[in-house]
Amino acid sequence: MLKVKNITFAYKKTEVLKNISFEVGSGEHFAIIGESGSGKSTLLKLLYGTYDLNDGHMFWKDKEILGPKHNLIIGPEYMKFVAQEFDLMPFITVGENIGAFLSNFYPNEKQERIDELLEVVELTAYKHILVKDLSGGQKQRVALARSVAKQPEILLLDEPFSHIDNFKKQSLRRRLFRYLKENKITCIVATHDRDDVLSFSDTMMVLHDAEIIASGTPQELYNNPKNKLVAAFFGEFNVLDSKELVYAHQLKRVENSNLKALVKHSYFKGHCYLIEVNLDGELVFFEHDKMLKAGLEISLSIMK
Ligand code: ADP
Ligand code: MG
């Protein structure tokens, strides 16, 4: 179990994280979300022991995680961190990078392990290519494979699929998170992509203004988003009557209702159209299976 108790941290004067507490069970997947600059990367760096805390404590299985004041080498043995700026060795091959931290004592086992991980990140064909000749997304996949090579107990991932294109992202995400679950690796992921969270995180928290503004399971936060920032993370939403948060897919066009709206624009979204309407002077969005012409008067109803 990872236990974070009342931690506070500032690079300079302003506190970037204030009184943060949470727990993550062994083998569980935990997501940290929040806007850019909300302190996600800082929190991962603190968990890795990169900086000394101003206040509070962190424990992994009753061992305290300590900063550089107490450690010569940053990063505990049992932990791996894939930072936003992944540093690979450019002049050796993909396979050699993935195996960089593995012992040469059992060369056959080492190669088998490298091959297994190449499959997880779908880079088998690139084993003998120099890392310097890879694209940004391919490098990110090498960094992910290398991070699990030595079976860490905890893996910290900072926006792990940010450089990977949409063609590859979905399958890679499923493979990697499945691999971590099967190998009971505890995973803390900082992300602004809801697809990293919805299907793969056991619990999550939302950072804003240095504090936790929401936490729970993805289902709990999705079904009861309490504030705009949480709703915005999950998708297109509206604030009705200046209080009720309603996702675009929860508004439907009906024959007649007292929610009258004027169509402004239809955006093609693939599986539906996102229709922008004017409702009592407010811009509101809802999902519809057909395009609607600008100027059309319609009635809407909330279906939760
Ligand atoms: P996120 O990952 O959520 O985008 P960060 O943790 O990178 O947020 O940054 C949180 C805040 O800390 C930001 O205001 C950022 O400018 C500041 N910050 C990040 N790294 C440093 C640093 N090395 N020195 C000073 N301030 C920093
Ligand atoms: Mg960041």
Side-chain angles (χ1 to χ4, degrees):
M1 165 97 77
L2 174 73
K3 282 190 191 149
V4 173
K5 290 188 178 167
N6 301 316
I7 66 170
T8 293
F9 176 76
Y11 287 101
K12 295 187 186 95
K13 273 206 182 118
T14 350
E15 285 166 351
V16 175
L17 295 166
K18 247 188 285 189
N19 218 11
I20 303 291
S21 298
F22 61 92
E23 293 184 354
V24 184
S26 292
E28 294 207 335
H29 290 187
F30 181 74
I32 303 163
I33 69 157
E35 293 164 304
S36 188
S38 61
K40 303 181 295 295
S41 297
T42 303
L43 181 51
L44 291 185
K45 287 173 189 170
L46 292 175
L47 288 171
Y48 196 58
T50 313
Y51 306 115
D52 294 299
L53 301 175
N54 295 29
D55 209 351
H57 298 275
M58 306 178 293
F59 299 91
W60 171 247
K61 294 180 178 167
D62 302 327
K63 274 184 300 238
E64 183 152 17
I65 303 170
L66 295 164
K69 263 189 206 158
H70 307 267
N71 283 306
L72 204 53
I73 297 166
I74 290 175
E77 261 290 287
Y78 53 85
M79 201 184 276
K80 275 281 178 288
F81 182 21
V82 184
Q84 271 176 306
E85 326 74 29
F86 29 90
D87 60 315
L88 298 169
M89 288 166 272
F91 297 104
I92 62 172
T93 67
V94 167
E96 287 162 344
N97 264 277
I98 293 175
F101 303 135
L102 296 177
S103 154
N104 286 319
F105 206 72
Y106 303 100
N108 293 339
E109 284 79 354
K110 178 169 173 171
Q111 286 313 311
E112 278 168 21
R113 182 96 185 100
I114 292 171
D115 291 343
E116 178 194 12
L117 293 170
L118 281 166
E119 253 175 57
V120 173
V121 296
E122 301 175 50
L123 280 179
T124 303
Y126 293 82
K127 184 173 180 181
H128 303 291
I129 304 284
L130 296 184
V131 159
K132 73 175 179 62
D133 297 329
L134 299 181
S135 71
Q138 290 166 335
K139 284 181 189 153
Q140 191 162 32
R141 286 189 271 151
V142 176
L144 289 168
R146 188 183 59 173
S147 72
V148 289
K150 275 180 82 177
Q151 295 281 17
E153 293 177 36
I154 313 179
L155 183 62
L156 309 175
L157 300 176
D158 200 350
E159 306 197 8
F161 310 109
S162 55
H163 295 262
I164 293 159
D165 57 61
N166 283 329
F167 297 104
K168 272 269 177 292
K169 206 181 274 193
Q170 308 294 350
S171 77
L172 179 67
R173 200 184 257 136
R174 281 192 291 266
R175 272 166 188 267
L176 182 76
F177 285 124
R178 192 189 310 140
Y179 178 89
L180 298 178
K181 272 284 171 195
E182 281 169 4
N183 289 276
K184 301 187 172 58
I185 296 171
T186 307
C187 176
I188 319 286
V189 58
T191 182
H192 50 238
D193 189 340
R194 64 179 166 179
D195 289 338
D196 293 342
V197 179
L198 282 172
S199 318
F200 304 107
S201 296
D202 298 300
T203 48
M204 62 184 290
M205 71 176 188
V206 187
L207 287 178
H208 185 62
D209 282 345
E211 291 181 282
I212 300 173
I213 58 158
S215 63
T217 65
Q219 289 86 340
E220 283 163 354
L221 267 58
Y222 179 90
N223 290 331
N224 189 10
K226 292 217 173 88
N227 65 56
K228 286 192 216 178
L229 202 77
V230 180
F233 176 72
F234 289 119
E236 207 73 56
F237 73 99
N238 307 289
V239 184
L240 298 185
D241 277 347
S242 7
K243 53 179 200 295
E244 194 180 6
L245 290 169
V246 178
Y247 290 113
H249 70 265
Q250 294 174 325
L251 269 180
K252 295 268 181 296
R253 183 186 181 185
V254 290
E255 267 308 298
N256 200 4
S257 76
N258 46 16
L259 282 183
K260 300 280 184 229
L262 189 68
V263 174
K264 305 287 284 183
H265 197 87
S266 297
Y267 300 92
F268 180 54
K269 288 285 179 185
H271 69 287
C272 69
Y273 283 85
L274 186 69
I275 316 284
E276 182 181 298
V277 298
N278 186 324
L279 194 151
D280 296 335
E282 298 277 344
L283 278 186
V284 162
F285 294 87
F286 76 102
E287 290 183 359
H288 194 58
D289 57 354
K290 289 186 217 66
M291 181 178 165
L292 298 178
K293 280 224 172 75
L296 184 70
E297 267 217 41
I298 57 166
S299 298
L300 292 173
S301 175
I302 301 168
M303 316 243 173
K304 280 200 176 176

